[in-house]
Amino acid sequence: MAVSATAAVGAAASVFAWAACCVLPLALSLAGLSFAGAALIAGMRGWLTVLAVVALLAGWMLHWRRLRMCRREDACRRPSRLAAGLLVAATVLVMLSLAWQPLIEPWILLRLAAGQ
């Protein structure tokens, strides 16, 4: 459960770091807000993404290992649905962070520039 939650938090941090580069400051400036700390987080986006992927892989590995062990032993408690849901959510967030710069960011930037 803890690894699943860690993977979800890491994935969310990774998505936030990728968004902090260009789209988030532009959107906040359009709203009249400032976000000076975004530059620091944007600089760490590569490392945050790598850490999120490692935590996610560890979470899935432990989840599948427990499922496999519980198939052999009937006395074992199966992994919770919440842990599986967190792992799925973290996987989606990591995929979103990996697709951010090449696919999503250019699309959003065009939409924001057209709104000016």
XYZ file of all heavy atoms in Angstrom:
856
model
N 0.824 -1.190 0.000
C 0.000 0.000 0.000
C 0.872 1.258 0.000
O 0.589 2.207 -0.715
C -0.909 -0.041 1.230
C -1.821 1.104 1.326
S -3.037 0.999 0.044
C -4.277 1.993 0.724
N 1.923 1.262 0.801
C 2.795 2.434 0.895
C 3.526 2.676 -0.433
O 3.701 3.814 -0.852
C 3.786 2.261 2.033
N 3.954 1.587 -1.086
C 4.648 1.740 -2.366
C 3.687 2.277 -3.417
O 4.058 3.118 -4.243
C 5.272 0.393 -2.807
C 5.861 0.505 -4.194
C 6.338 -0.038 -1.818
N 2.445 1.839 -3.381
C 1.442 2.339 -4.325
C 1.203 3.827 -4.133
O 1.136 4.586 -5.098
C 0.125 1.589 -4.155
O 0.307 0.228 -4.374
N 1.079 4.244 -2.883
C 0.872 5.661 -2.604
C 2.096 6.480 -3.006
O 1.968 7.570 -3.561
C 0.555 5.866 -1.130
N 3.286 5.947 -2.754
C 4.513 6.629 -3.146
C 4.590 6.770 -4.663
O 4.993 7.813 -5.185
C 5.742 5.871 -2.624
O 5.638 5.765 -1.212
C 7.022 6.571 -2.987
N 4.210 5.724 -5.371
C 4.219 5.787 -6.835
C 3.235 6.831 -7.337
O 3.528 7.570 -8.283
C 3.891 4.415 -7.415
N 2.064 6.912 -6.725
C 1.075 7.899 -7.143
C 1.572 9.322 -6.883
O 1.423 10.209 -7.733
C -0.251 7.662 -6.430
N 2.180 9.549 -5.725
C 2.704 10.881 -5.407
C 3.860 11.227 -6.340
O 3.965 12.353 -6.837
C 3.132 10.954 -3.930
C 3.912 12.220 -3.639
C 1.911 10.873 -3.033
N 4.733 10.268 -6.596
C 5.847 10.508 -7.512
C 5.376 10.812 -8.917
O 5.930 11.680 -9.601
N 4.358 10.101 -9.361
C 3.814 10.351 -10.700
C 3.186 11.733 -10.781
O 3.359 12.445 -11.773
C 2.795 9.272 -11.046
N 2.459 12.128 -9.746
C 1.858 13.464 -9.736
C 2.938 14.539 -9.736
O 2.812 15.556 -10.428
C 0.945 13.622 -8.528
N 4.007 14.329 -8.985
C 5.114 15.295 -8.968
C 5.779 15.374 -10.334
O 6.178 16.452 -10.784
C 6.136 14.906 -7.904
N 5.890 14.241 -11.004
C 6.486 14.226 -12.331
C 5.637 15.014 -13.329
O 6.156 15.803 -14.117
C 6.653 12.779 -12.802
O 7.127 12.737 -14.111
N 4.335 14.814 -13.309
C 3.441 15.550 -14.207
C 3.512 17.042 -13.897
O 3.585 17.874 -14.800
C 1.991 15.033 -14.088
C 1.017 15.967 -14.780
C 1.880 13.647 -14.671
N 3.523 17.390 -12.610
C 3.608 18.793 -12.224
C 4.920 19.410 -12.691
O 4.947 20.555 -13.151
C 3.454 18.934 -10.712
C 3.483 20.354 -10.252
C 2.393 21.185 -10.457
C 4.604 20.865 -9.631
C 2.425 22.499 -10.043
C 4.642 22.176 -9.211
C 3.544 22.993 -9.417
N 6.007 18.662 -12.585
C 7.303 19.186 -13.007
C 7.337 19.419 -14.516
O 7.892 20.410 -14.979
C 8.418 18.219 -12.601
N 6.741 18.530 -15.290
C 6.705 18.728 -16.739
C 5.813 19.914 -17.089
O 6.099 20.667 -18.011
C 6.239 17.466 -17.452
C 7.322 16.464 -17.569
C 7.513 15.373 -16.777
C 8.405 16.469 -18.497
N 8.643 14.705 -17.164
C 9.215 15.355 -18.222
C 8.775 17.313 -19.528
C 10.350 15.052 -18.939
C 9.923 17.002 -20.247
C 10.696 15.898 -19.952
N 4.737 20.099 -16.363
C 3.855 21.233 -16.630
C 4.476 22.547 -16.177
O 4.172 23.601 -16.721
C 2.514 21.034 -15.931
N 5.360 22.488 -15.178
C 5.950 23.703 -14.621
C 6.903 24.378 -15.591
O 7.228 25.546 -15.425
C 6.680 23.364 -13.320
N 7.346 23.685 -16.600
C 8.308 24.242 -17.544
C 7.742 25.427 -18.303
O 8.273 26.523 -18.242
C 8.757 23.157 -18.514
S 9.697 23.805 -19.905
N 6.700 25.240 -19.030
C 6.221 26.289 -19.939
C 4.741 26.592 -19.778
O 4.349 27.745 -19.703
C 6.480 25.872 -21.382
S 8.218 25.566 -21.701
N 3.928 25.574 -19.755
C 2.485 25.775 -19.800
C 1.959 26.378 -18.502
O 1.180 27.333 -18.526
C 1.763 24.446 -20.111
C 0.267 24.615 -20.032
C 2.180 23.959 -21.474
N 2.391 25.857 -17.377
C 1.871 26.336 -16.096
C 2.205 27.808 -15.844
O 1.311 28.581 -15.494
C 2.368 25.440 -14.968
C 1.746 25.642 -13.606
C 0.245 25.439 -13.666
C 2.353 24.669 -12.620
N 3.455 28.250 -16.022
C 3.717 29.684 -15.826
C 2.955 30.582 -16.799
O 2.485 31.656 -16.424
C 5.226 29.809 -16.053
C 5.768 28.472 -15.756
C 4.702 27.517 -16.204
N 2.817 30.139 -18.041
C 2.068 30.932 -19.016
C 0.599 31.027 -18.619
O 0.007 32.110 -18.661
C 2.204 30.335 -20.418
C 1.507 31.079 -21.542
C 2.044 32.491 -21.662
C 1.706 30.338 -22.847
N 0.017 29.919 -18.209
C -1.388 29.924 -17.804
C -1.594 30.768 -16.552
O -2.573 31.510 -16.445
C -1.873 28.492 -17.573
N -0.664 30.690 -15.603
C -0.790 31.486 -14.385
C -0.589 32.968 -14.665
O -1.238 33.818 -14.052
C 0.200 30.997 -13.328
C -0.113 29.638 -12.723
C 1.002 29.198 -11.790
C -1.440 29.647 -12.005
N 0.319 33.294 -15.590
C 0.508 34.706 -15.923
C -0.725 35.270 -16.629
O -1.067 36.435 -16.444
C 1.756 34.900 -16.775
O 1.574 34.353 -18.058
N -1.393 34.448 -17.432
C -2.642 34.893 -18.052
C -3.714 35.144 -17.001
O -4.568 36.012 -17.166
C -3.138 33.862 -19.060
C -2.372 33.780 -20.383
C -2.890 32.621 -21.216
C -2.479 35.079 -21.144
N -3.647 34.371 -15.908
C -4.611 34.552 -14.833
C -4.196 35.672 -13.876
O -4.907 35.973 -12.933
C -4.785 33.246 -14.067
N -3.003 36.250 -14.087
C -2.546 37.339 -13.240
C -1.809 36.868 -12.005
O -1.652 37.614 -11.048
N -1.348 35.645 -11.988
C -0.647 35.079 -10.832
C 0.811 34.854 -11.168
O 1.201 34.784 -12.324
C -1.293 33.756 -10.418
C -2.778 33.812 -10.072
C -3.314 32.419 -9.870
C -3.003 34.645 -8.821
N 1.623 34.681 -10.147
C 3.046 34.401 -10.343
C 3.376 33.078 -9.684
O 2.825 32.730 -8.647
C 3.888 35.517 -9.720
O 5.246 35.173 -9.778
N 4.320 32.366 -10.263
C 4.713 31.064 -9.720
C 6.219 30.911 -9.891
O 6.694 30.220 -10.786
C 3.937 29.966 -10.441
C 3.926 28.674 -9.700
C 3.433 28.603 -8.423
C 4.421 27.523 -10.280
C 3.420 27.412 -7.739
C 4.412 26.327 -9.605
C 3.908 26.269 -8.332
N 6.982 31.601 -9.033
C 8.435 31.640 -9.172
C 9.091 30.289 -8.909
O 10.128 29.977 -9.494
C 9.012 32.689 -8.232
N 8.523 29.476 -8.050
C 9.119 28.180 -7.732
C 9.004 27.164 -8.844
O 9.627 26.103 -8.796
N 8.231 27.464 -9.869
C 8.056 26.518 -10.968
C 9.359 26.277 -11.716
O 9.589 25.181 -12.215
C 6.981 27.020 -11.935
N 10.224 27.277 -11.776
C 11.500 27.116 -12.487
C 12.375 26.083 -11.792
O 13.043 25.280 -12.449
C 12.221 28.447 -12.571
N 12.372 26.083 -10.466
C 13.160 25.102 -9.719
C 12.636 23.686 -9.955
O 13.407 22.770 -10.219
C 13.122 25.430 -8.226
C 13.822 24.442 -7.298
C 15.326 24.481 -7.550
C 13.512 24.766 -5.862
N 11.338 23.539 -9.891
C 10.739 22.213 -10.090
C 10.917 21.768 -11.538
O 11.179 20.588 -11.802
C 9.249 22.250 -9.702
C 9.117 22.506 -8.201
C 8.555 20.942 -10.069
C 7.715 22.767 -7.744
N 10.807 22.688 -12.488
C 10.963 22.334 -13.900
C 12.368 21.838 -14.186
O 12.563 20.967 -15.038
C 10.630 23.526 -14.782
N 13.346 22.363 -13.469
C 14.720 21.904 -13.663
C 14.952 20.488 -13.185
O 15.891 19.819 -13.619
N 14.111 20.007 -12.288
C 14.256 18.655 -11.747
C 13.321 17.653 -12.409
O 13.206 16.515 -11.951
C 13.973 18.673 -10.238
C 14.913 19.542 -9.462
S 14.679 19.489 -7.678
C 12.936 19.519 -7.441
N 12.665 18.031 -13.489
C 11.641 17.151 -14.059
C 12.187 15.833 -14.575
O 11.520 14.810 -14.493
C 10.859 17.874 -15.130
C 11.647 18.202 -16.363
C 10.770 18.877 -17.380
N 11.593 19.265 -18.501
C 11.489 20.399 -19.121
N 10.598 21.269 -18.730
N 12.268 20.675 -20.131
N 13.385 15.823 -15.118
C 13.958 14.555 -15.590
C 14.168 13.575 -14.452
O 13.808 12.392 -14.548
N 14.754 14.071 -13.354
C 14.988 13.201 -12.192
C 13.683 12.762 -11.544
O 13.548 11.608 -11.106
C 15.867 13.908 -11.164
C 17.266 14.088 -11.651
C 17.853 15.246 -12.081
C 18.247 13.064 -11.808
N 19.129 15.012 -12.480
C 19.411 13.672 -12.322
C 18.269 11.696 -11.570
C 20.569 12.969 -12.599
C 19.421 10.987 -11.833
C 20.544 11.621 -12.342
N 12.715 13.676 -11.453
C 11.425 13.299 -10.872
C 10.728 12.236 -11.710
O 10.098 11.324 -11.173
C 10.529 14.536 -10.733
C 10.874 15.500 -9.605
C 10.033 16.753 -9.704
C 10.682 14.828 -8.263
N 10.846 12.338 -13.011
C 10.233 11.333 -13.887
C 10.907 9.986 -13.715
O 10.235 8.953 -13.611
C 10.306 11.789 -15.351
O 9.661 13.061 -15.473
C 9.634 10.801 -16.270
N 12.225 9.974 -13.661
C 12.952 8.717 -13.460
C 12.584 8.094 -12.119
O 12.323 6.880 -12.028
C 14.478 8.944 -13.577
C 15.248 7.729 -13.112
C 14.852 9.302 -15.002
N 12.541 8.911 -11.058
C 12.173 8.386 -9.735
C 10.740 7.867 -9.719
O 10.449 6.841 -9.093
C 12.359 9.464 -8.673
C 13.799 9.831 -8.348
C 13.842 11.007 -7.381
C 14.552 8.642 -7.785
N 9.837 8.555 -10.420
C 8.452 8.095 -10.480
C 8.348 6.760 -11.214
O 7.606 5.863 -10.792
C 7.581 9.138 -11.161
N 9.100 6.604 -12.297
C 9.079 5.339 -13.046
C 9.642 4.211 -12.194
O 9.083 3.104 -12.162
C 9.838 5.481 -14.387
C 10.078 4.143 -15.035
C 9.074 6.389 -15.327
N 10.731 4.478 -11.470
C 11.325 3.442 -10.606
C 10.354 3.047 -9.496
O 10.149 1.852 -9.233
C 12.675 3.934 -10.029
C 13.162 3.020 -8.912
C 13.716 4.031 -11.126
N 9.724 4.031 -8.858
C 8.753 3.727 -7.798
C 7.556 2.964 -8.359
O 7.040 2.034 -7.725
C 8.286 5.012 -7.124
N 7.133 3.326 -9.555
C 6.003 2.651 -10.190
C 6.341 1.203 -10.531
O 5.541 0.291 -10.280
C 5.588 3.411 -11.437
C 4.331 2.980 -12.140
C 3.140 3.124 -11.214
C 4.119 3.829 -13.370
N 7.517 0.987 -11.093
C 7.934 -0.383 -11.403
C 8.049 -1.231 -10.138
O 7.648 -2.403 -10.127
C 9.252 -0.378 -12.167
C 9.190 0.147 -13.598
C 10.589 0.250 -14.194
C 8.302 -0.722 -14.454
N 8.597 -0.640 -9.073
C 8.693 -1.374 -7.804
C 7.306 -1.702 -7.264
O 7.068 -2.807 -6.767
C 9.484 -0.561 -6.794
N 6.391 -0.754 -7.362
C 5.024 -0.999 -6.890
C 4.334 -2.109 -7.657
O 3.701 -2.991 -7.066
N 4.435 -2.089 -8.990
C 3.820 -3.158 -9.791
C 4.487 -4.505 -9.521
O 3.813 -5.538 -9.459
C 3.881 -2.827 -11.277
C 2.799 -1.911 -11.733
C 2.948 -0.656 -12.219
C 1.385 -2.174 -11.726
N 1.720 -0.122 -12.523
C 0.749 -1.032 -12.234
C 0.607 -3.254 -11.342
C -0.644 -0.943 -12.369
C -0.773 -3.173 -11.483
C -1.382 -2.040 -11.982
N 5.804 -4.505 -9.360
C 6.509 -5.754 -9.093
C 6.045 -6.368 -7.765
O 5.755 -7.570 -7.694
C 8.016 -5.516 -9.056
C 8.824 -6.785 -8.905
S 10.585 -6.469 -8.847
C 10.720 -5.709 -7.238
N 5.942 -5.538 -6.730
C 5.467 -6.050 -5.441
C 4.009 -6.487 -5.509
O 3.627 -7.489 -4.887
C 5.646 -4.986 -4.360
C 7.075 -4.671 -3.974
C 7.131 -3.486 -3.033
C 7.734 -5.896 -3.340
N 3.196 -5.770 -6.255
C 1.780 -6.138 -6.401
C 1.636 -7.500 -7.092
O 0.898 -8.370 -6.624
C 1.067 -5.044 -7.196
C -0.395 -5.267 -7.353
N -1.287 -5.036 -6.342
C -1.131 -5.700 -8.418
C -2.502 -5.326 -6.764
N -2.436 -5.717 -8.025
N 2.347 -7.665 -8.219
C 2.257 -8.949 -8.941
C 2.865 -10.088 -8.133
O 2.385 -11.213 -8.184
C 2.948 -8.843 -10.292
C 2.127 -8.082 -11.293
C 0.770 -8.074 -11.415
C 2.616 -7.205 -12.293
N 0.399 -7.247 -12.440
C 1.499 -6.708 -12.998
C 3.890 -6.803 -12.675
C 1.620 -5.828 -14.059
C 3.999 -5.914 -13.734
C 2.876 -5.440 -14.407
N 3.934 -9.796 -7.399
C 4.561 -10.827 -6.570
C 3.581 -11.316 -5.508
O 3.455 -12.521 -5.270
C 5.810 -10.262 -5.914
C 6.532 -11.238 -5.055
C 7.799 -10.604 -4.510
N 8.353 -11.438 -3.482
C 8.943 -10.993 -2.410
N 9.076 -9.700 -2.222
N 9.419 -11.809 -1.523
N 2.873 -10.376 -4.873
C 1.903 -10.768 -3.851
C 0.732 -11.534 -4.466
O 0.248 -12.513 -3.888
C 1.397 -9.543 -3.124
C 0.511 -9.915 -1.974
C 0.446 -8.820 -1.002
N -0.318 -9.267 0.148
C -0.524 -8.543 1.185
N -0.011 -7.341 1.248
N -1.233 -8.998 2.182
N 0.266 -11.117 -5.642
C -0.808 -11.856 -6.308
C -0.381 -13.281 -6.622
O -1.148 -14.234 -6.418
C -1.208 -11.152 -7.609
C -2.209 -10.022 -7.505
C -2.382 -9.361 -8.859
C -3.526 -10.507 -6.977
N 0.846 -13.420 -7.113
C 1.349 -14.751 -7.449
C 1.499 -15.626 -6.207
O 1.158 -16.806 -6.223
C 2.685 -14.623 -8.177
C 3.140 -15.913 -8.821
C 4.415 -15.747 -9.609
N 5.462 -15.248 -8.738
C 6.378 -14.353 -9.097
N 6.368 -13.847 -10.299
N 7.293 -13.953 -8.251
N 1.969 -15.043 -5.115
C 2.115 -15.805 -3.872
C 0.762 -16.220 -3.323
O 0.614 -17.315 -2.795
C 2.875 -14.975 -2.833
C 4.350 -14.843 -3.119
S 5.196 -13.742 -1.966
C 4.869 -14.539 -0.414
N -0.232 -15.352 -3.443
C -1.558 -15.668 -2.911
C -2.280 -16.717 -3.749
O -3.189 -17.372 -3.263
C -2.400 -14.398 -2.802
S -1.835 -13.320 -1.486
N -1.897 -16.874 -4.993
C -2.490 -17.946 -5.806
C -1.999 -19.301 -5.335
O -2.718 -20.291 -5.428
C -2.136 -17.749 -7.276
C -2.928 -16.649 -7.914
C -2.678 -16.573 -9.393
N -3.333 -15.402 -9.943
C -2.777 -14.560 -10.771
N -1.534 -14.751 -11.180
N -3.429 -13.524 -11.219
N -0.760 -19.343 -4.838
C -0.202 -20.607 -4.352
C -0.655 -20.933 -2.941
O -0.843 -22.083 -2.596
C 1.329 -20.550 -4.381
C 1.881 -20.676 -5.766
C 3.364 -20.786 -5.718
N 3.924 -19.623 -6.399
C 5.120 -19.141 -6.206
N 5.909 -19.685 -5.329
N 5.542 -18.098 -6.873
N -0.800 -19.901 -2.111
C -1.186 -20.103 -0.716
C -2.567 -19.495 -0.493
O -2.783 -18.329 -0.744
C -0.175 -19.422 0.202
C 1.234 -19.933 0.043
C 2.208 -19.081 0.838
O 1.756 -18.311 1.702
O 3.409 -19.201 0.582
N -3.470 -20.294 0.053
C -4.828 -19.815 0.264
C -4.946 -18.910 1.485
O -5.881 -18.126 1.592
C -5.791 -20.999 0.415
C -5.934 -21.756 -0.894
O -5.759 -21.131 -1.953
O -6.217 -22.962 -0.846
N -4.010 -18.997 2.427
C -4.089 -18.220 3.659
C -3.633 -16.777 3.474
O -3.814 -15.955 4.354
C -3.242 -18.878 4.740
N -3.076 -16.477 2.357
C -2.518 -15.150 2.094
C -3.623 -14.139 1.777
O -4.609 -14.476 1.133
C -1.548 -15.261 0.913
S -0.905 -13.722 0.330
N -3.447 -12.895 2.256
C -4.397 -11.827 1.913
C -4.027 -11.235 0.566
O -2.884 -10.884 0.326
C -4.335 -10.714 2.952
C -5.363 -10.875 4.020
C -5.422 -9.681 4.946
N -5.702 -8.439 4.228
C -5.483 -7.244 4.736
N -4.965 -7.121 5.921
N -5.773 -6.163 4.049
N -4.993 -11.116 -0.300
C -4.756 -10.523 -1.623
C -4.499 -9.025 -1.473
O -4.971 -8.402 -0.540
C -5.958 -10.766 -2.518
C -6.193 -12.237 -2.803
C -7.381 -12.409 -3.725
N -7.198 -11.681 -4.967
C -6.795 -12.232 -6.104
N -6.542 -13.522 -6.138
N -6.646 -11.515 -7.189
N -3.782 -8.426 -2.419
C -3.563 -6.971 -2.373
C -4.900 -6.230 -2.469
O -5.840 -6.685 -3.108
C -2.715 -6.688 -3.610
C -2.149 -7.992 -4.020
C -3.086 -9.050 -3.537
N -4.951 -5.084 -1.820
C -6.204 -4.333 -1.795
C -6.498 -3.714 -3.153
O -5.602 -3.479 -3.965
C -6.140 -3.237 -0.730
O -5.245 -2.229 -1.143
N -7.770 -3.430 -3.370
C -8.181 -2.771 -4.612
C -7.691 -1.324 -4.629
O -7.443 -0.772 -5.695
C -9.689 -2.817 -4.763
C -10.184 -4.196 -5.074
C -11.670 -4.179 -5.296
N -12.118 -5.540 -5.485
C -13.030 -5.873 -6.366
N -13.613 -4.958 -7.098
N -13.388 -7.121 -6.501
N -7.560 -0.730 -3.447
C -7.057 0.631 -3.374
C -5.620 0.701 -3.874
O -5.264 1.612 -4.623
C -7.136 1.150 -1.935
C -6.587 2.550 -1.690
C -7.358 3.581 -2.501
C -6.613 2.875 -0.216
N -4.794 -0.269 -3.492
C -3.407 -0.297 -3.953
C -3.356 -0.450 -5.471
O -2.578 0.232 -6.145
C -2.641 -1.432 -3.281
N -4.183 -1.320 -6.012
C -4.218 -1.504 -7.466
C -4.706 -0.234 -8.150
O -4.168 0.170 -9.185
C -5.111 -2.682 -7.824
N -5.693 0.417 -7.576
C -6.192 1.664 -8.148
C -5.147 2.766 -8.127
O -5.017 3.534 -9.080
N -4.394 2.854 -7.030
C -3.321 3.841 -6.953
C -2.227 3.558 -7.978
O -1.679 4.489 -8.579
C -2.729 3.871 -5.545
C -3.568 4.551 -4.474
C -2.960 4.327 -3.100
C -3.708 6.029 -4.762
N -1.920 2.293 -8.180
C -0.911 1.944 -9.176
C -1.384 2.284 -10.584
O -0.604 2.775 -11.410
C -0.549 0.463 -9.077
C 0.378 0.095 -7.924
C 0.471 -1.415 -7.771
C 1.748 0.703 -8.129
N -2.637 2.047 -10.869
C -3.186 2.397 -12.182
C -3.170 3.913 -12.370
O -2.769 4.411 -13.431
C -4.612 1.824 -12.359
C -5.300 2.404 -13.572
C -4.553 0.307 -12.459
N -3.584 4.655 -11.343
C -3.576 6.115 -11.431
C -2.153 6.636 -11.620
O -1.918 7.540 -12.434
C -4.196 6.719 -10.172
N -1.202 6.059 -10.901
C 0.193 6.479 -11.038
C 0.716 6.155 -12.432
O 1.471 6.951 -13.016
C 1.055 5.800 -9.976
N 0.328 5.017 -12.979
C 0.758 4.657 -14.323
C 0.231 5.657 -15.351
O 0.958 6.095 -16.251
C 0.287 3.230 -14.675
O 0.813 2.326 -13.707
C 0.734 2.817 -16.055
N -1.028 6.035 -15.212
C -1.614 7.014 -16.122
C -0.893 8.361 -16.002
O -0.574 8.998 -17.013
C -3.129 7.174 -15.852
C -3.705 8.377 -16.579
C -3.863 5.903 -16.232
N -0.581 8.786 -14.770
C 0.112 10.055 -14.573
C 1.525 10.026 -15.151
O 1.986 11.013 -15.723
C 0.146 10.410 -13.093
C -1.176 10.863 -12.487
C -1.047 11.010 -10.978
C -1.632 12.163 -13.114
N 2.225 8.904 -14.995
C 3.571 8.804 -15.555
C 3.503 8.821 -17.081
O 4.316 9.485 -17.735
C 4.302 7.547 -15.030
C 5.537 7.245 -15.842
C 4.683 7.736 -13.576
N 2.552 8.127 -17.658
C 2.396 8.170 -19.115
C 2.073 9.590 -19.579
O 2.574 10.040 -20.611
C 1.298 7.204 -19.576
C 1.642 5.762 -19.379
S 3.136 5.351 -20.288
C 3.538 3.816 -19.549
N 1.262 10.298 -18.811
C 0.946 11.684 -19.129
C 2.200 12.550 -19.064
O 2.431 13.391 -19.932
C -0.117 12.209 -18.171
C -0.564 13.651 -18.339
C -1.269 13.826 -19.675
C -1.476 14.044 -17.204
N 3.025 12.325 -18.051
C 4.249 13.127 -17.939
C 5.229 12.813 -19.068
O 5.943 13.700 -19.535
C 4.918 12.908 -16.582
O 5.524 11.639 -16.501
N 5.268 11.577 -19.532
C 6.152 11.223 -20.636
C 5.656 11.782 -21.971
O 6.442 12.079 -22.858
C 6.329 9.703 -20.718
C 7.098 9.074 -19.556
C 7.079 7.561 -19.663
C 8.525 9.588 -19.511
N 4.343 11.933 -22.095
C 3.770 12.469 -23.334
C 3.635 13.986 -23.291
O 3.251 14.598 -24.284
C 2.400 11.845 -23.585
N 3.966 14.598 -22.164
C 3.715 16.025 -21.993
C 4.458 16.887 -23.015
O 3.848 17.636 -23.764
C 4.074 16.462 -20.573
C 3.675 17.868 -20.316
C 4.445 18.971 -20.460
C 2.388 18.321 -19.930
N 3.723 20.094 -20.169
C 2.448 19.711 -19.834
C 1.183 17.678 -19.649
C 1.367 20.478 -19.473
C 0.111 18.449 -19.280
C 0.205 19.826 -19.194
N 5.783 16.803 -23.019
C 6.566 17.714 -23.851
C 6.383 17.465 -25.355
O 6.183 18.418 -26.095
C 8.033 17.653 -23.481
C 8.841 18.761 -24.120
C 10.251 18.818 -23.573
O 10.700 17.890 -22.939
N 10.931 19.903 -23.837
N 6.402 16.231 -25.823
C 6.277 16.072 -27.279
C 4.850 16.212 -27.812
O 4.661 16.588 -28.971
C 6.814 14.665 -27.537
C 6.658 13.934 -26.264
C 6.754 14.970 -25.176
N 3.836 15.955 -27.003
C 2.469 15.934 -27.536
C 1.547 16.980 -26.920
O 0.896 17.743 -27.636
C 1.853 14.549 -27.323
C 2.598 13.373 -27.955
C 1.963 12.070 -27.551
C 2.617 13.523 -29.453
N 1.454 17.009 -25.615
C 0.441 17.826 -24.946
C 0.837 19.295 -24.879
O 0.027 20.179 -25.148
C 0.168 17.263 -23.535
C -0.350 15.834 -23.657
C -0.815 18.132 -22.780
C -0.398 15.077 -22.362
N 2.096 19.565 -24.516
C 2.532 20.947 -24.343
C 2.380 21.796 -25.607
O 1.846 22.910 -25.528
C 3.972 20.979 -23.856
C 4.472 22.363 -23.552
C 5.874 22.327 -22.990
O 6.259 21.341 -22.358
O 6.581 23.317 -23.214
N 2.798 21.333 -26.785
C 2.595 22.172 -27.977
C 1.123 22.464 -28.253
O 0.769 23.583 -28.644
C 3.210 21.340 -29.110
C 4.131 20.394 -28.452
C 3.563 20.132 -27.097
N 0.279 21.499 -28.022
C -1.156 21.689 -28.239
C -1.710 22.749 -27.293
O -2.461 23.643 -27.703
C -1.879 20.353 -28.061
C -3.342 20.431 -28.313
C -3.972 20.404 -29.516
C -4.374 20.556 -27.324
N -5.330 20.496 -29.343
C -5.596 20.590 -28.001
C -4.368 20.626 -25.941
C -6.802 20.707 -27.344
C -5.576 20.749 -25.285
C -6.779 20.792 -25.986
N -1.336 22.680 -26.004
C -1.833 23.638 -25.024
C -1.275 25.034 -25.296
O -1.992 26.033 -25.177
C -1.497 23.165 -23.595
C -2.328 21.930 -23.251
C -1.749 24.263 -22.573
C -2.011 21.319 -21.921
N 0.005 25.100 -25.646
C 0.599 26.409 -25.927
C -0.085 27.101 -27.098
O -0.278 28.318 -27.090
C 2.099 26.274 -26.179
C 2.951 26.023 -24.934
C 4.400 25.781 -25.319
C 2.839 27.160 -23.966
N -0.441 26.333 -28.122
C -1.180 26.930 -29.248
C -2.535 27.463 -28.794
O -2.970 28.540 -29.223
C -1.375 25.894 -30.351
C -0.158 25.596 -31.217
C -0.454 24.454 -32.178
C 0.269 26.836 -31.983
N -3.223 26.723 -27.938
C -4.527 27.150 -27.456
C -4.397 28.393 -26.571
O -5.224 29.303 -26.651
C -5.230 26.044 -26.662
C -5.504 24.757 -27.425
C -6.348 25.025 -28.669
N -6.593 23.823 -29.429
C -5.874 23.421 -30.471
N -4.842 24.103 -30.875
N -6.183 22.331 -31.134
N -3.359 28.441 -25.726
C -3.164 29.606 -24.865
C -2.775 30.837 -25.679
O -3.203 31.953 -25.395
C -2.110 29.312 -23.805
C -2.533 28.374 -22.687
C -1.345 28.050 -21.795
C -3.659 28.976 -21.877
N -1.936 30.651 -26.699
C -1.532 31.774 -27.537
C -2.718 32.308 -28.338
O -2.827 33.519 -28.571
C -0.415 31.339 -28.483
N -3.600 31.437 -28.752
C -4.786 31.868 -29.498
C -5.767 32.619 -28.603
O -6.526 33.449 -29.083
C -5.465 30.664 -30.133
N -5.714 32.351 -27.301
C -6.621 33.012 -26.369
C -6.202 34.424 -26.015
O -6.963 35.175 -25.423
N -4.976 34.819 -26.358
C -4.504 36.164 -26.027
C -5.154 37.112 -26.926
O -5.352 37.943 -27.429
C -2.999 36.266 -26.109
C -2.343 35.487 -25.009
C -0.815 35.592 -25.073
O -0.256 36.057 -26.060
N -0.163 35.147 -24.046
